Each structure stands twice: as C-alpha cells, then as structure tokens.
Amino acid sequence: MLASLQLGDGNNLGTREGKIALDCSVRETKNGTYTISTTDFFFPLVDNPYLQGRIGAANVLSDLYAEGVDSCDFVLMLLAACRDMPSEERTICTKEMVKGFSDACDEAGTVVTGGQTVLNPWPVIGGVATSVVTKEEFIPSDGAKVGDVVVLTKPLGTQVAVNVHQWKNSNGSKHWKSCSAHITEDDASRMMHEAVCSMARLNKNAGSLMLKYKAHAATDVTGFGILGHAQNLSENQDDFVGIELHTLPCIEKTPVINEHVFNFRLTIGYSAETSGGLLVCMSPEAAPQYIEELKKLDKGSDAWIVGNVVASKERKSIITEDCKILEV
C-alpha cells in the first residue's frame, strides 16, 4: 500500500534507489551533515505503566541504533492518555509512562524536548528520535556483502511470552488451559520476565559497536518478524544478496507454545517482536569480537550469529531447512 503512494523524492540515504524503507529517514542537510530520524509508538502490552514507557522509548531509539549511531540528539514524545480511565488512575498511569520513557532517554544520553499529547481509548506512548551526524558517524543500511554473517542481538519470542502472560491472568482462558499441558505458571512468569527485560533493554551498545567492527548493514527486528525484516534488508541492498537464517534464538519455552497451543509463526520467522534486537551484517572475522564485547557491555545478555549473506539475484531471504531452534 505504501509503495503505491510513491512517497519520497528518491534522496533517502542507505536504501537502494533512495526510496522510503527500513528504519529511518536519512537525509543530507544544507551544511553537509546528515539527519537520521525515526518515529514509533508502543501499545500497552505490559501491566506496568513505567515499563510501558521505558519499552516505548527503547522501541523508538532502536531504529537509530540500527544505523550505527551511538547517540540521539533529541526526542519528541508522542503520548496518548487513556480517556476511559477514572481521572486519578489516568493521572498515575500517565505520569508513570512518562517517567519510564524519560528514564530510558536519560540512560541513552538524550533528552525529551517536546511532543504532543492526546486522549485516546488506550494509553499509548512513543516518539520521534533524531540524530545529527557526519558521514563517518553512521552506517548506511545498504552495504551487506556476500560472505557476511548476520548477528542477532536479542532473542525472539516476545509476542508469545506476552500472550501467555495475558492468558495466564485471564479467568477461564482456553489458551492457558492448553498451555498448562506444556508449561508451569513459573515457566510462564520466567518467560514474561525475560521478554520484558529484553524489550526494555536499549540497543545502544549494539548500535555503537557497529562502527568499531565495521558492520556493513543492519535493521532491527520488530513487527514483521525476523524473516520479514531480513527480507526488507536484503531488498534494499546495493548488491544482489539475500540472507539465509540458520539459527533462531528464542526465549525458553516459547517454541513449545508456538507448536502446541497457538501458531504465532515464531519458528518460520514471522512472529512480531517489540523492541527486538538488531540484525547486523558484518564480516565473519569481526562477528565473534563484536558479540564478546557486546555481551560485556550489556551485562551478560547474549547475541548470536544467526545467518549468512549469500548471492541472490532476487534479493531473497529465507530460513534454511535445517534451521536450529535455540532456546535461551
């Protein structure tokens, strides 16, 4: 649909033919610097409004980090307060959402300078993030090379974990009854804990190391799932390349729910993620060092080599037939 609207002027940087695609708008300014900007928002998928705000900020900033930038100059906040809540509850929840969003921005070293607020049936928070950089301070998203490996910096399965949490806390849920044959309540709680920790963690370190280790291209994994975003990435490369995904690291117990309770399309690469990891193309020599340093900076959170960049005239990305499902 968006393609049919023919938006843009063909001068976006970092995408094949300068079209609108991938994560950010990258534009050269009149004085020779570059503005990298993006927007996103987050619906209430968690119970805690503070965490909703934090995840909302991490989700917005992630697109910038996929361009290899290590800092955000400023953020505009987009806030929808819930009109259907009683006034006191709305005030408390809205303040907590804003605090979570602001704290994540503080951790990122950026500042909220303005925005817009509306009333809405659901509480929603997001924003617009902007970095102003030189040509040497970011990595265009169109440089993947045959022979690169592909690194994923967060596990998959957040959609599954969030839904299991909701089923567990819903009276008479038929899905939770099905879950109970395969996991315990403690399993479900651990699953949700891992998902929230992942969603709330900034991709700042993953992005800032891309320049050091000379990454060639990246995107972040969100609503289209890992294969959907791999396909978007391969379609926007200068070279005729595709991505073959051979490993899918998933939050523990999410694959069994996907297989036996509800098909989120997790193991075929199309399960939506919120504030997911970066999918980074880089040389096979650099990847192990990148992962090792990232793990130290992110206090033990792991990253994985999940695929390879291969020649493809159709710029086709796939999951290999012998793909390994790795529970983490």
Side-chain angles (χ1 to χ4, degrees), residues 141-177:
S141 300
D142 55 3
K145 303 296 181 187
V146 172
D148 281 352
V149 295
V150 183
V151 175
L152 178 66
T153 66
K154 290 183 182 181
L156 308 172
T158 56
Q159 182 186 40
V160 181
V162 166
N163 276 273
V164 169
H165 177 74
Q166 292 174 345
W167 297 337
K168 181 170 73 75
N169 291 294
S170 299
N171 290 330
S173 168
K174 65 176 183 180
H175 288 309
W176 175 245
K177 185 177 180 179

Side-chain angles (χ1 to χ4, degrees), residues 66-115:
E67 302 293 335
V69 301
D70 64 358
S71 63
C72 172
D73 285 282
F74 62 90
V75 174
L76 301 176
M77 182 188 294
L78 303 176
L79 176 66
C82 180
R83 70 184 181 203
D84 296 332
M85 282 183 176
S87 176
E88 184 177 1
E89 291 181 11
R90 178 171 62 241
T91 298
I92 293 170
C93 286
T94 303
K95 284 183 176 180
E96 286 296 302
M97 283 167 52
V98 170
K99 186 176 188 323
F101 191 96
S102 180
D103 284 354
C105 288
D106 287 345
E107 182 182 325
T110 190
V111 61
V112 177
T113 60

